[in-house]
Short mmCIF file of all heavy atoms in Angstrom, two decimals:
data_model
loop_
_atom_site.label_atom_id
_atom_site.label_comp_id
_atom_site.label_asym_id
_atom_site.label_seq_id
_atom_site.Cartn_x
_atom_site.Cartn_y
_atom_site.Cartn_z
N ASN R 22 -41.47 -26.67 97.50
CA ASN R 22 -41.67 -26.30 98.90
C ASN R 22 -42.38 -27.40 99.67
O ASN R 22 -42.07 -27.65 100.84
CB ASN R 22 -42.45 -24.99 99.02
CG ASN R 22 -41.59 -23.78 98.72
OD1 ASN R 22 -40.39 -23.87 98.67
ND2 ASN R 22 -42.23 -22.65 98.52
N THR R 23 -43.34 -28.06 99.04
CA THR R 23 -44.06 -29.15 99.69
C THR R 23 -43.12 -30.34 99.93
O THR R 23 -43.16 -30.96 100.99
CB THR R 23 -45.28 -29.57 98.85
OG1 THR R 23 -46.12 -28.43 98.67
CG2 THR R 23 -46.06 -30.67 99.52
N ILE R 24 -42.27 -30.64 98.97
CA ILE R 24 -41.28 -31.71 99.14
C ILE R 24 -40.33 -31.36 100.28
O ILE R 24 -40.02 -32.20 101.13
CB ILE R 24 -40.50 -31.97 97.83
CG1 ILE R 24 -41.45 -32.55 96.78
CG2 ILE R 24 -39.31 -32.90 98.08
CD1 ILE R 24 -40.87 -32.58 95.38
N TYR R 25 -39.90 -30.12 100.34
CA TYR R 25 -39.02 -29.66 101.41
C TYR R 25 -39.70 -29.81 102.78
O TYR R 25 -39.10 -30.31 103.73
CB TYR R 25 -38.61 -28.21 101.18
CG TYR R 25 -37.89 -27.60 102.35
CD1 TYR R 25 -36.55 -27.90 102.60
CD2 TYR R 25 -38.56 -26.76 103.23
CE1 TYR R 25 -35.90 -27.36 103.70
CE2 TYR R 25 -37.91 -26.22 104.33
CZ TYR R 25 -36.58 -26.52 104.56
OH TYR R 25 -35.95 -26.00 105.65
N LYS R 26 -40.97 -29.40 102.87
CA LYS R 26 -41.70 -29.49 104.14
C LYS R 26 -41.90 -30.95 104.56
O LYS R 26 -41.81 -31.28 105.74
CB LYS R 26 -43.05 -28.79 104.03
CG LYS R 26 -42.93 -27.29 103.95
CD LYS R 26 -44.29 -26.65 103.73
CE LYS R 26 -44.16 -25.17 103.47
NZ LYS R 26 -45.45 -24.56 103.13
N LEU R 27 -42.15 -31.81 103.58
CA LEU R 27 -42.30 -33.23 103.88
C LEU R 27 -40.98 -33.83 104.35
O LEU R 27 -40.94 -34.57 105.33
CB LEU R 27 -42.82 -33.97 102.65
CG LEU R 27 -43.08 -35.46 102.78
CD1 LEU R 27 -44.08 -35.75 103.90
CD2 LEU R 27 -43.59 -36.02 101.47
N ARG R 28 -39.88 -33.48 103.69
CA ARG R 28 -38.56 -33.97 104.10
C ARG R 28 -38.22 -33.50 105.51
O ARG R 28 -37.72 -34.26 106.34
CB ARG R 28 -37.51 -33.48 103.12
CG ARG R 28 -36.10 -33.95 103.45
CD ARG R 28 -35.12 -33.53 102.41
NE ARG R 28 -35.37 -34.33 101.21
CZ ARG R 28 -34.98 -33.97 99.99
NH1 ARG R 28 -34.35 -32.85 99.81
NH2 ARG R 28 -35.23 -34.75 98.96
N LYS R 29 -38.53 -32.25 105.79
CA LYS R 29 -38.29 -31.68 107.12
C LYS R 29 -39.12 -32.41 108.18
O LYS R 29 -38.63 -32.72 109.27
CB LYS R 29 -38.63 -30.19 107.10
CG LYS R 29 -38.30 -29.46 108.35
CD LYS R 29 -38.61 -27.97 108.19
CE LYS R 29 -38.39 -27.25 109.48
NZ LYS R 29 -38.73 -25.83 109.39
N LEU R 30 -40.38 -32.71 107.86
CA LEU R 30 -41.26 -33.44 108.78
C LEU R 30 -40.72 -34.84 109.05
O LEU R 30 -40.72 -35.31 110.19
CB LEU R 30 -42.67 -33.50 108.20
CG LEU R 30 -43.74 -34.20 109.02
CD1 LEU R 30 -44.01 -33.44 110.32
CD2 LEU R 30 -45.03 -34.32 108.21
N LEU R 31 -40.24 -35.52 108.00
CA LEU R 31 -39.67 -36.86 108.17
C LEU R 31 -38.50 -36.84 109.15
O LEU R 31 -38.39 -37.71 110.01
CB LEU R 31 -39.19 -37.41 106.82
CG LEU R 31 -40.25 -37.80 105.80
CD1 LEU R 31 -39.62 -38.07 104.44
CD2 LEU R 31 -41.04 -38.99 106.27
N LYS R 32 -37.64 -35.85 109.03
CA LYS R 32 -36.46 -35.77 109.88
C LYS R 32 -36.81 -35.34 111.30
O LYS R 32 -36.37 -35.95 112.27
CB LYS R 32 -35.44 -34.79 109.29
CG LYS R 32 -34.79 -35.30 108.04
CD LYS R 32 -33.80 -34.30 107.49
CE LYS R 32 -33.17 -34.82 106.21
NZ LYS R 32 -32.22 -33.86 105.65
N GLU R 33 -37.60 -34.28 111.43
CA GLU R 33 -37.92 -33.76 112.76
C GLU R 33 -38.74 -34.73 113.59
O GLU R 33 -38.53 -34.85 114.80
CB GLU R 33 -38.68 -32.43 112.64
CG GLU R 33 -37.81 -31.28 112.18
CD GLU R 33 -38.58 -29.99 112.00
OE1 GLU R 33 -39.82 -29.99 112.15
OE2 GLU R 33 -37.93 -28.97 111.72
N GLU R 34 -39.66 -35.43 112.97
CA GLU R 34 -40.52 -36.36 113.70
C GLU R 34 -39.95 -37.76 113.78
O GLU R 34 -40.53 -38.63 114.40
CB GLU R 34 -41.92 -36.40 113.05
CG GLU R 34 -42.68 -35.11 113.14
CD GLU R 34 -43.17 -34.81 114.55
OE1 GLU R 34 -43.23 -35.73 115.39
OE2 GLU R 34 -43.50 -33.64 114.81
N GLU R 35 -38.82 -38.00 113.11
CA GLU R 35 -38.17 -39.32 113.09
C GLU R 35 -39.16 -40.41 112.69
O GLU R 35 -39.39 -41.38 113.42
CB GLU R 35 -37.51 -39.60 114.43
CG GLU R 35 -36.43 -38.61 114.79
CD GLU R 35 -35.81 -38.84 116.15
OE1 GLU R 35 -36.31 -39.70 116.90
OE2 GLU R 35 -34.82 -38.17 116.46
N ILE R 36 -39.71 -40.26 111.51
CA ILE R 36 -40.74 -41.16 110.98
C ILE R 36 -40.12 -42.52 110.65
O ILE R 36 -39.07 -42.61 110.04
CB ILE R 36 -41.38 -40.54 109.72
CG1 ILE R 36 -42.05 -39.20 110.04
CG2 ILE R 36 -42.36 -41.51 109.07
CD1 ILE R 36 -43.18 -39.28 111.04
N ASP R 37 -40.82 -43.58 111.06
CA ASP R 37 -40.39 -44.95 110.77
C ASP R 37 -41.03 -45.51 109.51
O ASP R 37 -40.43 -46.32 108.82
CB ASP R 37 -40.75 -45.87 111.95
CG ASP R 37 -40.04 -45.47 113.22
OD1 ASP R 37 -38.80 -45.35 113.18
OD2 ASP R 37 -40.72 -45.26 114.24
N ALA R 38 -42.26 -45.11 109.22
CA ALA R 38 -42.97 -45.62 108.06
C ALA R 38 -43.78 -44.50 107.42
O ALA R 38 -44.40 -43.70 108.11
CB ALA R 38 -43.90 -46.76 108.45
N LEU R 39 -43.74 -44.47 106.10
CA LEU R 39 -44.47 -43.48 105.33
C LEU R 39 -45.49 -44.21 104.47
O LEU R 39 -45.12 -45.08 103.69
CB LEU R 39 -43.51 -42.67 104.46
CG LEU R 39 -44.08 -41.70 103.44
CD1 LEU R 39 -44.90 -40.62 104.13
CD2 LEU R 39 -42.97 -41.07 102.63
N ILE R 40 -46.75 -43.87 104.64
CA ILE R 40 -47.83 -44.51 103.87
C ILE R 40 -48.50 -43.44 103.02
O ILE R 40 -48.93 -42.41 103.53
CB ILE R 40 -48.87 -45.17 104.80
CG1 ILE R 40 -48.21 -46.24 105.65
CG2 ILE R 40 -50.02 -45.75 103.97
CD1 ILE R 40 -49.11 -46.80 106.74
N VAL R 41 -48.56 -43.70 101.72
CA VAL R 41 -49.18 -42.78 100.79
C VAL R 41 -50.52 -43.37 100.37
O VAL R 41 -50.58 -44.46 99.84
CB VAL R 41 -48.29 -42.57 99.54
CG1 VAL R 41 -48.89 -41.52 98.63
CG2 VAL R 41 -46.89 -42.18 99.96
N VAL R 42 -51.59 -42.63 100.65
CA VAL R 42 -52.92 -43.15 100.40
C VAL R 42 -53.37 -42.88 98.96
O VAL R 42 -54.21 -43.59 98.44
CB VAL R 42 -53.93 -42.56 101.41
CG1 VAL R 42 -55.33 -43.07 101.15
CG2 VAL R 42 -53.51 -42.90 102.82
N GLU R 43 -52.79 -41.91 98.33
CA GLU R 43 -53.22 -41.51 97.00
C GLU R 43 -52.03 -41.46 96.05
O GLU R 43 -51.01 -40.85 96.36
CB GLU R 43 -53.89 -40.14 97.09
CG GLU R 43 -54.62 -39.73 95.87
CD GLU R 43 -55.41 -38.45 96.12
OE1 GLU R 43 -55.61 -38.05 97.27
OE2 GLU R 43 -55.81 -37.85 95.14
N THR R 44 -52.16 -42.07 94.90
CA THR R 44 -51.05 -42.16 93.95
C THR R 44 -50.56 -40.78 93.52
O THR R 44 -49.36 -40.58 93.34
CB THR R 44 -51.49 -42.97 92.71
OG1 THR R 44 -51.99 -44.22 93.15
CG2 THR R 44 -50.33 -43.20 91.77
N LEU R 45 -51.44 -39.81 93.38
CA LEU R 45 -51.02 -38.47 92.96
C LEU R 45 -50.08 -37.81 93.96
O LEU R 45 -49.32 -36.91 93.60
CB LEU R 45 -52.24 -37.58 92.71
CG LEU R 45 -53.09 -37.94 91.50
CD1 LEU R 45 -54.33 -37.07 91.43
CD2 LEU R 45 -52.28 -37.80 90.23
N CYS R 46 -50.12 -38.24 95.20
CA CYS R 46 -49.22 -37.69 96.23
C CYS R 46 -47.79 -38.17 96.04
O CYS R 46 -46.87 -37.63 96.66
CB CYS R 46 -49.71 -38.07 97.62
SG CYS R 46 -51.30 -37.34 98.05
N SER R 47 -47.58 -39.14 95.16
CA SER R 47 -46.24 -39.70 94.95
C SER R 47 -45.25 -38.67 94.42
O SER R 47 -44.06 -38.79 94.65
CB SER R 47 -46.30 -40.89 93.99
OG SER R 47 -47.07 -41.91 94.57
N GLN R 48 -45.74 -37.66 93.71
CA GLN R 48 -44.83 -36.63 93.22
C GLN R 48 -44.13 -35.90 94.36
O GLN R 48 -43.07 -35.31 94.19
CB GLN R 48 -45.56 -35.63 92.33
CG GLN R 48 -46.62 -34.83 93.05
CD GLN R 48 -47.37 -33.89 92.12
OE1 GLN R 48 -46.78 -33.34 91.20
NE2 GLN R 48 -48.65 -33.71 92.36
N PHE R 49 -44.72 -35.96 95.55
CA PHE R 49 -44.12 -35.36 96.73
C PHE R 49 -43.38 -36.39 97.58
O PHE R 49 -42.32 -36.12 98.13
CB PHE R 49 -45.18 -34.68 97.60
CG PHE R 49 -46.03 -33.70 96.86
CD1 PHE R 49 -47.32 -34.02 96.49
CD2 PHE R 49 -45.53 -32.46 96.52
CE1 PHE R 49 -48.11 -33.13 95.81
CE2 PHE R 49 -46.31 -31.55 95.83
CZ PHE R 49 -47.60 -31.88 95.47
N THR R 50 -43.97 -37.57 97.70
CA THR R 50 -43.47 -38.56 98.66
C THR R 50 -42.32 -39.41 98.15
O THR R 50 -41.57 -39.97 98.95
CB THR R 50 -44.61 -39.49 99.13
OG1 THR R 50 -45.19 -40.11 97.99
CG2 THR R 50 -45.65 -38.71 99.88
N ILE R 51 -42.14 -39.53 96.85
CA ILE R 51 -41.00 -40.31 96.33
C ILE R 51 -39.69 -39.53 96.50
O ILE R 51 -38.72 -40.07 97.02
CB ILE R 51 -41.24 -40.77 94.89
CG1 ILE R 51 -42.32 -41.86 94.90
CG2 ILE R 51 -39.95 -41.29 94.25
CD1 ILE R 51 -42.75 -42.34 93.53
N PRO R 52 -39.63 -38.24 96.11
CA PRO R 52 -38.35 -37.55 96.28
C PRO R 52 -38.04 -37.13 97.72
O PRO R 52 -36.87 -36.98 98.07
CB PRO R 52 -38.48 -36.30 95.38
CG PRO R 52 -39.92 -36.12 95.15
CD PRO R 52 -40.56 -37.46 95.32
N ALA R 53 -39.03 -36.96 98.55
CA ALA R 53 -38.81 -36.43 99.90
C ALA R 53 -37.86 -37.29 100.75
O ALA R 53 -36.96 -36.76 101.37
CB ALA R 53 -40.13 -36.21 100.62
N PRO R 54 -38.03 -38.61 100.82
CA PRO R 54 -37.15 -39.38 101.72
C PRO R 54 -35.79 -39.75 101.12
O PRO R 54 -35.03 -40.46 101.75
CB PRO R 54 -37.96 -40.64 102.02
CG PRO R 54 -38.88 -40.80 100.88
CD PRO R 54 -39.14 -39.41 100.35
N LEU R 55 -35.44 -39.27 99.94
CA LEU R 55 -34.20 -39.68 99.30
C LEU R 55 -32.96 -39.39 100.14
O LEU R 55 -32.03 -40.17 100.17
CB LEU R 55 -34.06 -39.03 97.92
CG LEU R 55 -35.05 -39.54 96.87
CD1 LEU R 55 -34.85 -38.79 95.56
CD2 LEU R 55 -34.92 -41.03 96.65
#
């Protein structure tokens, strides 16, 4: 669900750059923009 919400945010907000501050967040941020 968190990956889905992140993917939805990327699309709706038309994000140009994604910055991950914490390595543990990668489990969400790597699959989301695929």
Side-chain angles (χ1 to χ4, degrees):
N22 284 346
T23 302
I24 293 168
Y25 171 77
K26 289 176 188 175
L27 182 58
R28 181 176 289 159
K29 186 177 175 183
L30 181 66
L31 289 169
K32 290 180 181 179
E33 288 178 355
E34 295 288 342
E35 299 177 352
I36 300 298
D37 298 307
L39 173 61
I40 300 171
V41 185
V42 179
E43 192 172 345
T44 306
L45 290 175
C46 295
S47 297
Q48 64 182 324
F49 307 104
T50 57
I51 289 175
L55 291 178

